[in-house]
Amino acid sequence: MAAELHVSQHEGDPALLIVAGELDTHTAPDLDKRLELVEAGTDLVLDLTATSFVSSAGLSCMLKAQRRLNASGGSMVVRSPPPAVMRLIELSGLQDLLELS
Amino acid sequence: MNHDLSGITGAVRSEELPLLLLAALEQTRSPACITTADLDRPGPTIVYVNPAYCRMTGRDREIVIGSTPRIMQGPLSDRAELDRLRSELEAGRPFEGETVNYRIDGAPFIINWRIDHVRNTAGETTHYVATQEDVTHRRRTDRLLAAEQRLDDALTDALTAPNGAIGSLGPLVEAIAAGAQSIATMGSASVLVSVDEHAHRFPLHRDISGGRSVGFPFTRPQTRLSGMLEIEGLSPAEEAFLDRDGLTRFANRASVVLAAFVEYERQRSTALRLQSDLLPTDALWAPGFEIVTEYLPGAFDVPVGGDWYDVAVSANFVVFSVGDVSGNGVDAAALMGRLRLLASVEFARETSGEAVLAVLDGICAAEGRMATMIVVQAHRPTGRLVVWSAGHLPPFVMRGSDATALDLQPAPPLGFMSGHDPTATELVLDPGHRLLLYTDGLIERRDESLDIGLDRLGRSLGVDIGLAGMVKGLTDGLPDRVEDDIAILAIRRIGEDTESAS
């Protein structure tokens, strides 16, 4: 339960969510709630520079948000995942599905 | 001692100053009291109290002036604090302390007071001045908040305890008794909780010889939980001053915390039963293969994930699969059961792994959930394997002492595959060679890349110590606390399959 996650939001176009800490089973619901608040049709950048760990629950929450934004004419870009997170994305077959930058 | 008034004489005429000081003292809301400096019995005599003091103690000035401050004291006044007061003042030092005082109607209250020496120009103490404050409400609020905080901490500890400690209300009941004791400050707190037919008590043995007791019952009918918090062994004076409001509130909070824990325990045990029902119960068997499986529930939270393994045998194939529904608890386990059942039906009909994954993808997408899955279809006569992955970690194949993670091109996880069909990877498993399918809990660590975990796993698989020994080695090598659940399916091809259809 020690995992901590900080999400900070920055208005703009595209909108920016900076995710810092560990994105796991315990903290993914927090990010879920923040992502649900992002309005339909938004172009969103999810910055993972400071995200040290992502579990499958974290991936699930990103994929759901991307699906919802794409369906409403928006988009979601995952920016700067650290190497360990990038490796998880590759091993999970998501390098073509997630929009990465 | 000379009173240096030079700083204020400019603003107020010196002859007006005493009147101003008196008017201020008379009208401030801070209670103040001036006594003579006699510490020996009958003690100091009160020479002045302001109206705020009269309001706080309920005593008129006519009663108070000329009497001793001891008239404020009573059975709950702290003797040691009063002794300390005396020794501090005798030593020429100021005093600050807290005790219980009594209003004229006998109602006790907690007083915080400060006493300073009033010295004449020769430096002799002629009087004491005491400023006072009724802190009853503040102290009670502080104690209640601290007790509630410790109770919340105890709940967190109970929920995050390793598996062995979960299931017992003991530590929570003990924390409730400790909290009640700190709020009551008097007597002895005891707690009795009953859930269904089970009673939990703290302390187990009580030795209360006499005294009064006050009980604070609580109940949560929906959780079939009830209980009683009791403060025992009280004198009549203590009983009268007990913080009943605080204890009533704390008893209510305790019932909320207990109910949360009990509900959590119920969900957890339901989920555990569900999980064991949903995984294959009999030892898995397939012609031409030796199989060893293991399922480990996670150590934290509701320790039921959606991990599964399965083996399906049809005329031409044996299909091995391992999967992982993201998340945990009953919902994840229920979805896992559906996916496993549906897949086993399709595999028995010899539907291709690619098509089965597409069906399961649709179910996960409709449920808004994510799952990963690996499917290994073994051709019974030849040992030729076709492997498909939906976002799942690569299986290891062991040929003698060489352990290699299969180089797969996984499709996205189930629920998010649409438009990205899994690529089939083919290889041959010769007799004697081994294959390991597993879920991410086996290698995932927060502080390292998955590649490091994959390397470590690969190195541990090289020496062939038999399948059962290999699986035991894998689980023995896990850290003490693994949060995620883990499913392992280990396979060895043991020779030609003479019963196959072709």
Side-chain angles (χ1 to χ4, degrees), chain B residues 229-411:
Chain B
L229 197 165
E230 232 176 325
I231 309 296
E232 301 164 298
L234 295 168
S235 69
E238 289 173 331
E239 183 193 3
F241 193 42
L242 195 64
D243 182 6
R244 287 165 194 260
D245 288 347
L247 286 163
T248 302
R249 218 181 107 179
F250 187 67
N252 182 56
R253 178 65 161 262
S255 74
V256 171
V257 165
L258 287 168
F261 184 75
V262 168
E263 291 294 347
Y264 163 85
E265 274 296 299
R266 285 185 185 146
Q267 192 202 0
R268 179 176 168 275
S269 66
T270 304
L272 273 175
R273 281 203 304 278
L274 184 63
Q275 179 102 20
S276 62
D277 287 350
L278 290 171
L279 283 173
T281 42
D282 300 328
L284 291 170
W285 173 89
F289 292 92
E290 178 195 356
I291 297 167
V292 173
T293 61
E294 181 68 88
Y295 176 79
L296 299 173
F300 286 90
D301 212 334
V302 176
V304 176
D307 284 13
W308 83 93
Y309 52 77
D310 205 0
V311 177
V313 181
S314 64
N316 295 295
F317 301 105
V318 177
V319 180
F320 304 100
S321 58
V322 162
D324 178 358
V325 175
S326 178
N328 52 27
V330 177
D331 289 350
L335 179 57
M336 176 275 280
R338 277 175 70 195
L339 298 180
R340 189 181 78 82
L341 192 62
L342 199 70
S344 70
V345 170
E346 293 295 330
F347 289 139
R349 292 158 61 181
E350 304 199 342
T351 310
S352 81
E354 187 181 320
V356 173
L357 288 173
V359 171
L360 302 188
D361 175 59
I363 291 174
C364 290
E367 296 267 329
R369 296 195 75 128
M370 187 184 97
T372 67
M373 186 174 179
I374 188 100
V375 176
V376 179
Q377 182 196 57
H379 187 232
R380 289 173 61 179
T382 60
R384 189 173 61 85
L385 306 183
V386 186
V387 183
W388 296 269
S389 170
H392 204 87
L393 289 172
F396 276 81
V397 59
M398 284 77 75
R399 301 179 173 99
S401 62
D402 173 66
T404 311
L406 291 182
D407 186 15
L408 302 177
Q409 282 88 51

Side-chain angles (χ1 to χ4, degrees), chain B residues 448-467:
Chain B
E448 62 183 34
S449 164
L450 284 168
D451 285 326
I452 297 172
L454 286 170
D455 280 352
R456 186 175 46 232
L457 179 57
R459 280 197 307 277
S460 75
L461 296 173
V463 185
D464 189 349
I465 51 172
L467 282 193

Side-chain angles (χ1 to χ4, degrees), chain A residues 32 55-65, chain B residues 326 368-370 416:
Chain A
D32 246 342
S55 76
S56 64
L59 285 182
S60 168
C61 139
M62 288 190 246
L63 288 169
K64 274 191 283 183
Chain B
S326 178
R369 296 195 75 128
M370 187 184 97
F416 297 91

Side-chain angles (χ1 to χ4, degrees), chain A residues 1 22 24 56 67 87 92, chain B residues 160 370 391 415 446 451 483:
Chain A
M1 303 284 252
E22 298 185 356
D24 66 5
S56 64
R67 168 173 291 168
R87 192 67 184 118
S92 304
Chain B
T160 57
M370 187 184 97
R446 278 163 195 272
D451 285 326
E483 292 183 36

Side-chain angles (χ1 to χ4, degrees), chain B residues 56-296:
Chain B
M56 180 178 73
T57 64
R59 289 174 174 85
D60 291 340
R61 232 182 324 218
E62 298 79 69
I63 302 172
V64 176
I65 303 294
S67 63
T68 159
R70 288 181 183 140
I71 62 167
M72 311 296 165
Q73 296 161 15
L76 298 181
S77 297
D78 186 342
R79 201 60 249 170
E81 194 74 341
L82 296 168
D83 289 344
R84 189 169 68 82
L85 177 158
R86 179 178 178 133
S87 66
E88 290 291 296
L89 294 184
E90 277 178 348
R93 290 190 291 265
F95 170 81
E96 175 168 1
E98 271 185 39
T99 189
V100 174
N101 269 3
Y102 289 80
R103 292 171 54 87
I104 188 137
D105 59 7
F109 60 97
I110 302 170
I111 187 177
N112 175 287
W113 82 124
R114 295 168 181 171
I115 303 180
D116 292 288
H117 295 252
V118 180
R119 294 186 169 98
N120 62 18
T121 50
E124 299 155 346
T125 299
T126 59
H127 294 81
Y128 296 115
V129 58
T131 50
Q132 327 195 313
E133 190 182 0
D134 178 352
V135 294
T136 312
H137 182 69
R138 194 193 309 161
R139 291 293 172 267
R140 289 186 162 179
T141 304
D142 289 349
R143 284 179 195 141
L144 178 61
L145 290 178
E148 288 180 338
Q149 180 62 52
R150 284 197 301 273
L151 188 55
D152 289 348
D153 291 346
L155 178 63
T156 306
D157 288 347
L159 293 180
T160 57
N163 277 347
I166 281 192
S168 166
L169 279 177
L172 275 183
V173 174
E174 192 175 336
I176 291 165
Q181 187 70 64
S182 69
I183 293 167
T185 71
M186 309 170 290
S188 305
S190 71
V191 179
L192 174 67
V193 176
S194 68
V195 184
D196 298 330
E197 294 86 52
H198 303 287
H200 305 264
R201 194 185 289 281
F202 188 89
L204 284 176
H205 304 289
R206 290 175 296 169
D207 183 22
I208 306 301
S209 45
R212 295 161 185 252
S213 76
V214 182
F216 301 86
F218 52 85
T219 176
R220 294 276 143 188
Q222 286 183 327
T223 312
R224 298 192 299 284
L225 178 148
S226 63
M228 170 80 92
L229 197 165
E230 232 176 325
I231 309 296
E232 301 164 298
L234 295 168
S235 69
E238 289 173 331
E239 183 193 3
F241 193 42
L242 195 64
D243 182 6
R244 287 165 194 260
D245 288 347
L247 286 163
T248 302
R249 218 181 107 179
F250 187 67
N252 182 56
R253 178 65 161 262
S255 74
V256 171
V257 165
L258 287 168
F261 184 75
V262 168
E263 291 294 347
Y264 163 85
E265 274 296 299
R266 285 185 185 146
Q267 192 202 0
R268 179 176 168 275
S269 66
T270 304
L272 273 175
R273 281 203 304 278
L274 184 63
Q275 179 102 20
S276 62
D277 287 350
L278 290 171
L279 283 173
T281 42
D282 300 328
L284 291 170
W285 173 89
F289 292 92
E290 178 195 356
I291 297 167
V292 173
T293 61
E294 181 68 88
Y295 176 79
L296 299 173

Side-chain angles (χ1 to χ4, degrees), chain A residues 7-10 15-19 31 34-35 38 44-48 79:
Chain A
V7 183
S8 56
Q9 195 161 355
H10 304 265
L16 173 63
L17 268 191
I18 297 177
V19 183
L31 181 59
R34 297 294 293 263
L35 287 167
V38 175
L44 178 71
V45 172
L46 197 66
D47 186 299
L48 300 188
R79 189 165 79 188

